[in-house]
Amino acid sequence: MILIKCASLLEENFSTRDELRDRIRNMALKEGYVTTIKKSKPGCYVIIGCDRGGKYRGTSVPLSEGKRMSGSRLVNCPFQMLGKKKVGQGDFTFDIKRDGNGHLTHLFFAHPSSIALTKSYSYVFVMDYSYKTNKYKMSLLDIVGVSSFNGSFYSCFAFMQKEEEGGYAWALERFKAILGPDQQPSVILSDRELALMNAIEVVFPGTTNILCVWHIRKNVLSKCKPKFEREQDRETFLSDWTNLVESPDESCFNEAWQHLQVDYKEKEFVRNYIKNTWLPFKEKFVKTWTGNHLHFGNRVTSRAEGAHAMLKRYLTVSTGNFHEVREKICLAIENQHNEIETKIASKKLRVIHKFRIPMFKELITHVSIFALSELLKQYELLTSSLLDPCRS
């Protein structure tokens, strides 16, 4: 009977390995059998069989005389089912773009698990490029999302021949389609890549584009460091720059900028570099403006760089074709998704003592610990009536 019932599964497709395992397990239990995973290879296949399958090796003692008289005993049950990962268009949402000669110039793709996470956590995304990932020397645009427990996840990818505004816009339109109708992120973090910044403004006019303050600091240091002979002067300048970037309101910002102009009046290059290169984008990185947007504390693109590093550990080489790269990216995403599911499940079971207050009564086990921590910080800030003073 169990063979007849399980035969109906041969015509079905399952979105995950766990879904297939649970379906077979439930069918078997109804008939009084227990199934287990006999063998599996992540991202490739899984073999599920009866827990009494196989036979004992290297023993001359009859089964009836053995010490173990309870639990599952091997009787060489032959029942097994093989589930293979389906390779093809069904695995990824994808789109391609070709030039006039039919050559591939853009390839966009997103894994089903990534799409689900993107729809669930659609507020903040980080965009950055990775290089040396494929034999065709195409740049890989990696879009990384932020989960409710402040973790990162792969949202989608786009191979691009050239880093131009039109190509960025094409990729962002596909990303927009994944988010769904009338959905726009609250914030997208990026570096000062003008083509990408322009594309974000066109495709997501209601989204705030925040620039990575770490990379800005790095660029400022690289350009201005040679203008200071003493290390102490360089450190003082960086401290003044930090005060400018972290200005809590416009008054403090104006005061910090005036301070820079006066103190470095003899450093014309430094003043002009800051004024012409960075101040036109001050609303995209200075705290007094970025603090008005829902970025959950994300003001750097380190998430994307961490995602690049993990991805390259899976790729191992930079000479793979698109099929090889796709398979390894798929494995990275599936492992990441399993880790996220495990983390979510564990967070639901854990209740920290400081959250056992009336205000959080209806939120515990329904809202992540990270989110509760942020709420508690805001509550304590509100009740303490502390103001962030100007720093100059």
Side-chain angles (χ1 to χ4, degrees):
M1 181 64 72
I2 181 62
L3 290 175
I4 295 175
K5 289 189 174 182
C6 285
S8 64
L9 302 179
L10 298 178
E11 303 299 323
E12 295 187 39
N13 293 318
F14 299 87
S15 59
T16 64
R17 186 185 76 164
D18 292 343
E19 184 180 345
L20 171 63
R21 180 201 63 195
D22 293 342
R23 185 74 172 277
I24 295 175
R25 177 185 292 170
N26 292 334
M27 280 188 169
L29 284 174
K30 290 180 180 178
E31 301 299 324
Y33 298 96
V34 176
T35 57
T36 61
I37 295 178
K38 296 293 186 179
K39 189 177 181 181
S40 69
K41 184 176 181 181
C44 295
Y45 67 86
V46 59
I47 297 176
I48 299 174
C50 176
D51 73 330
R52 302 184 70 180
K55 56 184 179 181
Y56 296 102
R57 298 178 182 179
T59 178
S60 59
V61 180
L63 182 63
S64 58
E65 298 179 11
K67 293 183 179 181
R68 184 180 178 185
M69 299 300 295
S70 61
S72 298
R73 295 183 295 181
L74 301 182
V75 295
N76 205 24
C77 176
F79 172 76
Q80 283 189 348
M81 292 200 74
L82 170 65
K84 287 186 176 181
K85 181 172 177 57
K86 187 175 180 181
V87 178
Q89 296 182 4
D91 293 329
F92 283 92
T93 292
F94 76 98
D95 198 359
I96 61 174
K97 184 179 180 181
R98 302 180 185 274
D99 61 17
N101 297 319
H103 298 148
L104 181 69
T105 58
H106 300 74
L107 170 60
F108 175 91
F109 57 99
H111 189 279
S113 298
S114 297
I115 294 174
L117 289 170
T118 298
K119 291 179 179 291
S120 297
Y121 309 117
S122 58
Y123 295 102
V124 179
F125 293 92
V126 183
M127 298 184 180
D128 197 13
Y129 260 105
S130 182
Y131 303 93
K132 297 181 180 180
T133 61
N134 60 94
K135 65 188 294 183
Y136 311 106
K137 301 187 185 330
M138 295 180 74
S139 304
L140 178 64
L141 175 63
D142 188 0
I143 301 180
V144 177
V146 181
S147 68
S148 63
F149 48 87
N150 202 33
S152 303
F153 64 88
Y154 294 111
S155 174
C156 53
F157 302 87
F159 284 109
M160 298 173 61
Q161 192 175 68
K162 296 180 180 180
E163 299 171 26
E164 298 176 338
E165 183 176 338
Y168 284 122
W170 180 87
L172 292 181
E173 287 287 357
R174 274 73 195 160
F175 172 53
K176 184 178 181 180
I178 289 177
L179 289 170
D182 303 321
Q183 294 295 319
Q184 295 196 32
S186 171
V187 164
I188 292 177
L189 281 100
S190 71
D191 291 334
R192 185 181 170 273
E193 174 62 42
L194 297 180
L196 176 57
M197 292 165 64
N198 291 337
I200 291 173
E201 187 174 354
V202 171
V203 179
F204 296 110
T207 296
T208 300
N209 179 203
I210 292 180
L211 302 182
C212 175
V213 294
W214 186 86
H215 280 103
I216 294 176
R217 178 186 173 90
K218 183 178 179 182
N219 289 333
V220 169
L221 180 60
S222 175
K223 291 289 186 179
C224 299
K225 183 177 179 180
K227 305 303 177 181
F228 297 93
E229 296 180 358
R230 297 191 309 166
E231 183 63 28
Q232 183 179 354
D233 292 337
R234 297 190 196 108
E235 293 179 358
T236 300
F237 168 72
L238 284 178
S239 176
D240 292 336
W241 168 256
T242 300
N243 287 341
L244 180 77
V245 173
E246 298 300 321
S247 299
D249 55 50
E250 289 191 50
S251 175
C252 291
F253 171 80
N254 292 332
E255 185 179 334
W257 173 233
Q258 182 64 31
H259 174 73
L260 274 170
Q261 293 185 91
V262 171
D263 282 15
Y264 303 100
K265 61 183 178 180
E266 296 181 0
K267 307 288 185 182
E268 183 178 1
F269 174 85
V270 173
R271 289 185 289 106
N272 288 338
Y273 172 72
I274 294 174
K275 180 180 179 180
N276 299 327
T277 304
W278 295 111
L279 290 196
F281 305 103
K282 62 181 183 294
E283 291 87 354
K284 296 181 180 294
F285 69 90
V286 177
K287 186 176 182 180
T288 183
W289 287 282
T290 61
N292 295 324
H293 305 285
L294 191 66
H295 55 65
F296 299 123
N298 292 279
R299 297 176 63 200
V300 296
T301 58
S302 56
R303 289 181 183 276
E305 292 170 8
H308 296 335
M310 186 174 80
L311 194 61
K312 288 188 175 182
R313 287 197 293 271
Y314 279 87
L315 295 177
T316 64
V317 296
S318 61
T319 56
N321 58 38
F322 284 140
H323 175 74
E324 294 168 337
V325 172
R326 169 195 174 281
E327 288 299 305
K328 292 179 179 179
I329 288 178
C330 179
L331 181 59
I333 291 174
E334 289 176 348
N335 288 340
Q336 182 187 68
H337 184 71
N338 290 336
E339 291 176 3
I340 290 174
E341 285 190 327
T342 300
K343 186 173 291 187
I344 291 175
S346 66
K347 298 294 184 183
K348 288 183 178 180
L349 298 175
R350 181 185 175 199
V351 180
I352 298 178
H353 180 71
K354 66 179 179 180
F355 297 142
R356 294 182 180 276
I357 56 178
M359 184 176 69
F360 291 155
K361 182 179 180 181
E362 303 297 328
L363 301 180
I364 292 177
T365 73
H366 296 288
V367 176
S368 71
I369 290 177
F370 171 76
L372 290 176
S373 297
E374 294 302 302
L375 283 172
L376 188 60
K377 289 179 184 177
Q378 294 300 313
Y379 175 74
E380 291 174 344
L381 183 63
L382 178 66
T383 54
S384 66
S385 300
L386 291 177
L387 298 177
D388 191 5
C390 289
R391 291 173 294 173
S392 59

